Amino acid sequence: MLLLLAAALTGLTALVPWLTVETVTVLGEPRTVTVAGSSAAPSLVAVTLVLLAAAGAAALVGRAGRWVVVGVVALAGALVVVDGVGVLRSPGSAAAPSVADELGVERVVEDVAVSAWPWVAVVVGALVVLLAVWLARASASWAVGRRHEGASTTVPAGGAAPAPLDERDQWDALTRGDDPTDGPDGPGRQGP
């Protein structure tokens, strides 16, 4: 749920206006250009999608996969921080492509009003990195699904009969192509 919340916050920062530029057209008409977060820092949309995918993956993968998810989440958060800081350090450069699209000509953009949203993005990115750290610590205590860990179907040592299969084991056997009803009396029959 926290990854979904992080994705929603990152997506929100991508949608809102980050920069406002007062400029003039080639004909001398005043024009106000508003630059959304997705234009000032284009990777925010990709990070949002990555966090959504990580939320689903965290619930499905095994132990090794969770470490991959943690690494991806940490990198995604760091990218949001870097993008936010980059816009704050050079708002004119971040606004220039949008201004060029709006006016049809490239020009140097100097007078840029910066909203609070780049700062919010930096905070959200830092929180995503902290969320990755929390995931690394918390995932150690999560139950591990047998499906993604390569569960073994060998007979226990000493020749003892295997424990009866529960419903989940039967579905896993079907997924592997095995007949879960194969008992000691032959295919398709349960034991006595």
Side-chain angles (χ1 to χ4, degrees), residues 21-157:
V21 179
E22 298 294 335
T23 188
V24 292
T25 65
V26 176
L27 300 175
E29 298 172 358
R31 179 81 50 98
T32 301
V33 179
T34 303
V35 182
S38 59
S39 296
S43 64
L44 290 177
V45 175
V47 168
T48 301
L49 295 174
V50 164
L51 290 174
L52 285 173
L60 296 174
V61 298
R63 287 187 184 148
R66 287 184 189 152
W67 285 108
V68 172
V69 170
V70 166
V72 167
V73 170
L75 288 174
L79 184 58
V80 173
V81 170
V82 167
D83 281 350
V85 169
V87 170
L88 290 169
R89 289 185 63 187
S90 182
S93 297
S98 295
V99 171
D101 287 345
E102 183 75 24
L103 300 180
V105 293
E106 291 186 21
R107 58 175 62 182
V108 176
V109 178
E110 295 176 357
D111 188 25
V112 181
V114 180
S115 72
W117 286 103
W119 290 103
V120 172
V122 170
V123 171
V124 167
L127 289 174
V128 170
V129 171
L130 290 175
L131 177 59
V133 172
W134 176 81
L135 279 172
R137 294 187 58 142
S139 68
S141 64
W142 292 350
V144 177
R146 291 173 292 183
R147 169 171 285 179
H148 301 292
E149 291 294 318
S152 173
T153 59
T154 58
V155 176

